[in-house]
Amino acid sequence: MASTVASDKRPGYGQLLRTPGAWTFLLPGFAARQPFAMLTIGIVLLVQHTTGSYGSAGAVAAVTGVSMALFAPQSGKLADRFGQRAVLVPGVVLHTVSVSVLTTLALTGAPLWALFAAAVPTGASVPQIGPMVRARWAARLQGSPLLPTAAAFESVTDEFTFVVGPVLATALCTGVHPAAGLIAEAGLTLIGGLLFAAQRRTQPAHGNALAAERAERVSALSIPGVRVLAVAFLGIGAVFGGMQVSLTAFTEEIGNPGMNGLLYGLFAAGNMLAGVAVGAVAWKSGPRRRLVVGYTALTLTASLLWTAHSAAVLGALGLVVGLCIAPALISGYTLVEALVPASARTEAFTWLTGAVALGQAAAVTVAGQLADAHGASTGFLVPLVGTALALMTLLLLRSRLTPPPVGRVAARGIGHRVPVTVD
């Protein structure tokens, strides 16, 4: 598909939002992705209420995250092949039913194994709205200097949902009913997902039209750079998961559970503000260098979380950690356009989203066990370890984030792509 937007002007949000057709998928996409930020915290709060254990709550949430991480790339692959609507419509219906079953089982005191069983389809059916919106941007802006701006805009949108979602879920669970957060999540998923699926005109041509039918189908995970990015995003997921469980346990320890949403909101607000700034700057360095620098800063700041022993200090540190996440996320998503052919981009984006979910799942399990056994502060060691291991991998394998020469790309049957500077 030819670039829809071509301009020599400095890329900016105003120019991005004037892209023809953008608002038709942005508004329903925002509504449809909102529940994603409510799911994990909704499960943790409900299951902890019914079982009295953060470890059990974290484990159920972890099963959901692992299931999502395993099934999300398959959902992305099917969307690339058959179209987003064909995957979304049955997916949101299944997710609504699965969340309803999980909620009912938790409230009726079902055994833990039954909650695990219900968590599998709940995670597997999470609609991949963020990757689908990113794939729509990539299709409409192919070869345009607005692509990094679009990646930043999507990060801001994601993080805005993580400002609103946890606060909303926490308020519903603590102020209305422990199950209210998950009930709202299921309803928003169904309505928002169906509205987004109805926007057919802006969805990428499935199968990359005739070109993909003639070419060998490429798996996004077969590209070395995607595997490196997936490891980096695992570490980011460890930050999200470790923060969610540890903040919940911390606010319980200090006798003020209602502060959980505020503290997590500060963390997400930092991410959102940094995303706005990253998208507004005309960067001279490429996304690979920005990824390494941003990830180093994230690791250093995450290493301080476990030292906080007051809500004020923890809120300030959470804000700084959030400021460091957005540059790493945006740089990683920007690299996908350079590394992955159009026919596999939705799958690539879902691998990264799935990696975040998998890292989050592991983090909520480990942080929950640590919080139960040794107190809330030890749960904050999880973001430290997760980001440190991912940073080591990123530094050792950063050369794999260089896209192959255009000639080799064509020889593999991927087709022509506009070269993108990564350094």
Side-chain angles (χ1 to χ4, degrees), residues 8-13 15 145-146 148-149 152 274-287 290:
D8 294 330
K9 297 179 181 179
R10 176 184 173 183
Y13 291 114
Q15 186 181 352
L146 283 171
T149 307
V276 172
V278 169
V281 172
W283 295 97
K284 294 182 180 179
S285 60
R290 298 202 305 271

Side-chain angles (χ1 to χ4, degrees), residues 33 74 238 266 408:
R33 72 175 58 177
Q74 307 310 314
L266 284 172
R408 187 193 299 176

Side-chain angles (χ1 to χ4, degrees), residues 225 227-233 236 287-296 299 328 331-332 335 387-401:
R227 297 196 292 270
V228 175
L229 289 175
V231 172
F233 278 49
I236 293 174
R288 184 174 68 174
R289 185 171 302 172
R290 298 202 305 271
L291 175 62
V292 172
V293 172
Y295 215 100
T296 302
T299 304
S331 301
L335 280 166
T387 53
L389 292 175
L391 177 62
M392 290 173 57
T393 303
L394 183 61
L395 292 173
L396 289 173
L397 301 177
R398 63 186 182 277
S399 62
R400 298 188 181 184
L401 297 176

Side-chain angles (χ1 to χ4, degrees), residues 222-244:
S222 69
I223 300 170
V226 173
R227 297 196 292 270
V228 175
L229 289 175
V231 172
F233 278 49
L234 277 170
I236 293 174
V239 177
F240 285 126
M243 290 289 282
Q244 285 181 335

